[in-house]
Amino acid sequence: QVRLVESGGGLAQAGGSLTLSCAAPRHMFLGNDMAWYRQAPGKQRELVAYIRRGGNTHYTDSVKGRFAISRDGAKHTVDLQMNNLKPEDTAVYYCNAADRRLWTNWGQGTQVTVSS
């Protein structure tokens, strides 16, 4: 069973930083473009950023210039560096394949809470 494990969340003040990490199974990591998603209370899950196997990246407008996604081929991890955090970044953050047709079981996610 494919298992995604997210970590690194926590409480931060507005303007602060956090780094999230996602550990993915080797075959999934090597075979897919990977993405970070988030779900705020009462809202649908949304795409935050994705990174292609070749390294190209894409960000949703609300995080451009503040977040950076990266992938580590040796560790099979996908990281999300989050800077200049805002209260509206508060959500549970998840990783999965960038292509929704290739989504596997969601992990438990990691909670990010940003206080004003």
Side-chain angles (χ1 to χ4, degrees):
Q1 183 176 358
V2 176
R3 185 164 177 257
L4 297 160
V5 181
E6 300 92 351
S7 62
L11 178 64
Q13 291 187 335
S17 299
L18 287 172
T19 300
L20 308 183
S21 186
C22 167
R26 179 179 181 274
H27 71 278
M28 182 179 183
F29 178 90
L30 295 178
N32 290 285
D33 302 334
M34 295 295 294
W36 278 95
Y37 302 82
R38 66 186 179 188
Q39 187 167 19
K43 296 187 177 181
Q44 290 189 338
R45 189 171 294 166
E46 66 169 346
L47 174 69
V48 176
Y50 67 75
I51 182 166
R52 296 193 182 280
R53 282 169 288 175
N56 289 344
T57 58
H58 168 87
Y59 301 89
T60 193
D61 286 346
S62 63
V63 308
K64 282 181 180 177
R66 300 189 297 120
F67 290 11
I69 189 171
S70 60
R71 57 193 294 158
D72 187 321
K75 298 179 180 179
H76 306 150
T77 56
V78 182
D79 288 351
L80 186 68
Q81 174 68 44
M82 306 187 297
N83 299 319
N84 191 20
L85 284 162
K86 302 177 179 181
E88 51 263 43
D89 294 320
T90 295
V92 180
Y93 284 70
Y94 305 87
C95 68
N96 213 315
D99 186 340
R100 64 183 299 124
R101 296 169 297 179
L102 300 174
W103 281 352
T104 186
N105 295 330
W106 293 92
Q108 64 182 14
T110 187
Q111 175 71 48
V112 171
T113 303
V114 184
S115 62
S116 57

